[in-house]
Amino acid sequence: MKNFPVKASAALLMAAGLFGCNQATETAATPTYPQVKEENIKAHIAFLADDTLEGRDTGSDGYQIAANYVTSYFKQYGLTPMGEHGSFEQVVTFRKAFLQENGAGLTIKSDSGEHQLTYPSEFIASGSALNTSSAIESEAVFVGYGVVNKEFGLDDYAGLDVKGKVVVMLTGRPDSLPSEEGAHIGSSREKARIAAEQGAAGVITLHTPKRENVRKFEVSAKYAEGPRYSWLDKDGNPYGSYPELKGGAYVSHEVAAPLFEGAQMSLEDIFALDTDNKAIKGFPLKATVALTNESRHEEITSPNIVAAIEGSDPTLKDEYVVYSAHLDHIGVHEHSEHDDKINNGALDNASGVSILLETARMLSGMENKPKRSVLFVVVTGEEKGLLGSSYYAQNPTVPASKMVANVNLDMPLILYPFADVIAFGSTHSTLGPIVETAAQKIDISLSEDPMPEQALFTRSDHYSFVKAGVPSVFLMTGFKSKDPNIDGGKMFREFLTTHYHNHSDEIDLPIRYDAAASFAEVNMMIGLEIANQAERPKWNDGDFFGKTFAQ
């Protein structure tokens, strides 16, 4: 455990003072449904988003202070520690892989000669979690989008020999795929897994003009020099890495044409098919590719915080409703052009953790406890690739088969009086009707995903539980507003454009703590609805994620 800094800001002292008052006055008889206290949520956010914590980066002192803070309130609420060794902490060991200076090389050899690409303006690569030095030179094969899925009749490797070769693929996936299923099938991690299974020795992913309209290559290049994080298993192996793949790179659409010299189609023609959403098939290339990588490794630790409320039913208490929220944010950006270099993450995700804490207080204070046990998993490393939740889902501190559902809280946008909630993933399991029933009890409606193009179902910690076979939803504020003069959707999009992963995501934002209280109430009601039902949630018949991952 890290020591708390001697110097404490006014916001931290204010937060401590608020909680001292709350704890002193909270002695009255607890109602059936404890009353939510918005001042609690306000004080939590003020603490967690304070400059003293320096953005709660994974493995940092600021993150550990935040973890100690969460632990202290779990203790106050009388929750049972469910980490390791009788504690609230589940310590995760991470490997940070740094690309050495001038450590990435990519050369394309084609009919027109050797084309040595420049890092990071023409290609980007990350440090290798497996090797400190690697090199490969091999023939290249174009594999379309690099996706394989029998259910959707996809096999971009059909008829192609890629063993020992470098596969070249487009970023993205066919637009014909449904949003959430497509996000899984077309994810870089899934593509890497498929490439390794097919015997490839390296992967080159091509940025496309279509992708450029969504996120410019130069934006991705700006973030390329940071370390790559991987959690280590009990044997010290980095999870999700494939020894078969000796190299990889992400290449700008403007410099990739030499790969296709002399091939049956030009890169320009392939990009046109991608833009027009037409079928793309793979074929051998005449170019060869040389990839080199020099990396260095560091190891750090950072804890998940895990606690439980024991259920009241003699049988059902052995099952767990899991609440999750990520405690980490992106820390300090020393090279930021702004004077304020601390990314406080007030809404991403101090708000989610604060609402989880208030949910824990309310549920622990109930006279009639939920029938099933309720597990609170506050995770690290979300911003590094859902790593803390991935570690927990793969190494749960309760039996995996006993986790019946996950409700995830990530960046609830409490800037307006929302009238609806969005539960990403609710269409895949019986959690959909459960969420809707619970929300209706307090006059909140359930709305469909308003941003299917964002594929948010695969972009937060609940997805780690999905891949462990647990029906899950990712709960967020909807776009509808109780105030007709406020456009919730507009405010949501403005936050994403202006404040998301920016120094301005701090408590100076016009946070509506009444909205935060409403969200906590909805969150509690959903957990109660799941915990008290006779049947545990189930994947819908024939659902893609259910068939792919169900236990």
Side-chain angles (χ1 to χ4, degrees):
M1 304 290 273
K2 302 294 192 299
N3 291 323
F4 198 96
V6 173
K7 183 178 179 182
S9 72
L12 295 181
L13 294 173
M14 179 189 73
L18 272 171
F19 275 94
C21 293
N22 287 342
Q23 293 302 314
T25 58
E26 199 175 341
T27 58
T30 305
T32 303
Y33 297 111
Q35 184 178 359
V36 64
K37 296 184 177 182
E38 63 182 72
E39 66 268 24
N40 284 4
I41 301 171
K42 182 177 182 179
H44 287 316
I45 295 175
F47 187 101
L48 295 172
D50 189 84
D51 280 355
T52 308
L53 276 65
E54 296 187 326
R56 310 185 306 278
D57 199 6
T58 299
S60 69
D61 287 350
Y63 177 87
Q64 186 64 58
I65 293 167
N68 294 350
Y69 179 86
V70 170
T71 296
S72 74
Y73 279 95
F74 283 164
K75 289 179 179 178
Q76 287 185 43
Y77 302 152
L79 272 61
T80 302
M82 297 295 288
E84 298 170 322
H85 312 299
S87 76
F88 288 91
E89 291 194 349
Q90 180 192 48
V91 177
V92 187
T93 301
F94 296 98
R95 177 172 295 166
K96 296 170 66 175
F98 296 83
L99 190 65
Q100 298 277 34
E101 187 174 356
N102 301 317
L106 171 55
T107 301
I108 302 169
K109 299 179 181 180
S110 65
D111 290 344
S112 59
E114 291 193 3
H115 304 267
Q116 187 170 334
L117 304 191
T118 302
Y119 175 93
S121 60
E122 295 180 330
F123 81 99
I124 56 179
S126 60
S128 168
L130 285 167
N131 305 298
T132 55
S133 181
S134 64
I136 179 177
E137 183 170 344
S138 182
E139 300 172 41
V141 180
F142 177 59
V143 293
Y145 294 103
V147 298
V148 174
N149 186 267
K150 290 182 179 179
E151 183 167 339
F152 288 97
L154 300 172
D155 187 354
D156 284 350
Y157 287 83
L160 298 175
D161 176 14
V162 302
K163 290 183 178 178
K165 300 177 183 179
V166 174
V167 293
V168 177
M169 62 184 66
L170 302 181
T171 188
R173 75 272 186 180
D175 273 15
S176 58
L177 289 172
S179 171
E180 294 176 352
E181 290 84 345
H184 166 73
I185 293 168
S187 67
S188 58
R189 187 175 294 276
E190 181 68 3
K191 288 184 178 186
R193 183 185 69 81
I194 294 295
E197 282 186 356
Q198 295 288 331
V203 176
I204 287 179
T205 303
L206 303 182
H207 191 71
T208 66
K210 183 177 179 180
R211 179 61 180 166
E212 182 75 2
N213 291 329
V214 177
R215 181 182 173 92
K216 295 185 179 300
F217 182 85
E218 64 183 37
V219 173
S220 298
K222 283 172 62 176
Y223 297 96
E225 296 188 9
R228 174 187 177 185
Y229 287 68
S230 304
W231 59 260
L232 302 181
D233 64 20
K234 303 300 182 185
D235 297 320
N237 299 313
Y239 179 77
S241 296
Y242 300 98
E244 302 90 342
L245 301 177
K246 308 299 183 185
Y250 187 72
V251 177
S252 168
H253 59 297
E254 295 180 340
V255 297
L259 284 166
F260 292 81
E261 286 181 10
Q264 66 185 58
M265 287 185 71
S266 70
L267 183 58
E268 183 179 6
D269 290 338
I270 291 168
F271 283 160
L273 292 174
D274 178 52
T275 299
D276 295 338
N277 301 321
K278 294 183 178 178
I280 298 173
K281 291 187 177 295
F283 47 82
L285 300 173
K286 295 189 176 181
T288 61
V289 173
L291 288 162
T292 59
N293 188 290
E294 300 292 329
S295 303
R296 64 179 177 87
H297 295 161
E298 293 180 7
E299 288 189 9
I300 63 168
T301 59
S302 191
N304 294 327
I305 308 300
V306 193
I309 298 170
E310 186 178 19
S312 59
D313 185 273
T315 302
L316 294 180
K317 71 178 183 179
D318 292 333
E319 298 181 344
Y320 294 86
V321 178
V322 183
Y323 280 111
S324 61
H326 74 90
L327 184 58
D328 65 305
H329 194 52
I330 58 175
V332 179
H333 285 178
E334 295 291 354
H335 302 297
S336 170
E337 65 272 20
H338 302 287
D339 292 335
D340 182 1
K341 302 184 186 304
I342 298 175
N343 299 280
N344 299 99
L347 295 183
D348 185 16
N349 182 39
S351 63
V353 172
S354 299
I355 288 168
L356 180 146
L357 284 173
E358 181 64 358
T359 302
R361 183 192 69 81
M362 290 188 289
L363 289 175
S364 65
M366 288 185 63
E367 214 170 287
N368 298 313
K369 293 290 192 293
K371 293 181 179 181
R372 288 185 175 85
S373 295
V374 181
L375 190 71
F376 299 91
V377 185
V378 179
V379 298
T380 186
E382 189 270 354
E383 301 290 3
K384 311 304 182 186
L386 315 184
L387 295 184
S389 59
S390 171
Y391 184 85
Y392 188 84
Q394 296 296 317
N395 302 275
T397 58
V398 301
S401 62
K402 298 299 184 180
M403 295 188 292
V404 303
N406 169 237
V407 179
N408 183 56
L409 308 172
D410 188 357
M411 207 172 75
L413 214 66
I414 45 176
L415 298 174
Y416 52 92
F418 65 94
D420 64 330
V421 292
I422 302 160
F424 299 102
S426 61
T427 59
H428 298 291
S429 71
T430 57
L431 284 177
I434 291 172
V435 171
E436 186 168 24
T437 298
Q440 285 176 348
K441 288 182 178 179
I442 52 174
D443 297 323
I444 297 291
S445 62
L446 175 65
S447 293
E448 294 182 359
D449 181 356
M451 302 177 289
E453 73 283 355
Q454 295 289 335
L456 292 176
F457 181 63
T458 62
R459 290 173 54 186
S460 192
D461 290 307
H462 63 290
Y463 192 52
S464 296
F465 290 95
V466 168
K467 291 193 288 185
V470 181
S472 305
V473 289
F474 168 18
L475 199 65
M476 289 181 68
T477 45
F479 283 9
K480 297 176 184 177
S481 172
K482 294 178 181 177
D483 185 341
N485 296 316
I486 297 177
D487 184 338
K490 181 180 179 182
M491 292 194 73
F492 205 111
R493 292 186 177 91
E494 284 178 352
F495 176 85
L496 292 178
T497 302
T498 307
H499 305 294
Y500 174 68
H501 281 195
N502 197 306
H503 71 98
S504 58
D505 179 10
E506 54 188 358
I507 58 173
D508 291 344
L509 289 170
I511 297 172
R512 292 284 299 260
Y513 294 101
D514 57 341
S518 294
F519 198 86
E521 193 174 11
V522 173
N523 190 49
M524 179 191 71
M525 296 299 292
I526 291 171
L528 281 174
E529 195 75 19
I530 300 169
N532 291 331
Q533 287 206 347
E535 296 292 328
R536 62 187 287 169
K538 297 179 180 179
W539 296 101
N540 293 334
D541 290 342
D543 181 76
F544 170 79
F545 294 101
K547 290 194 292 185
T548 303
F549 299 116
Q551 297 171 349

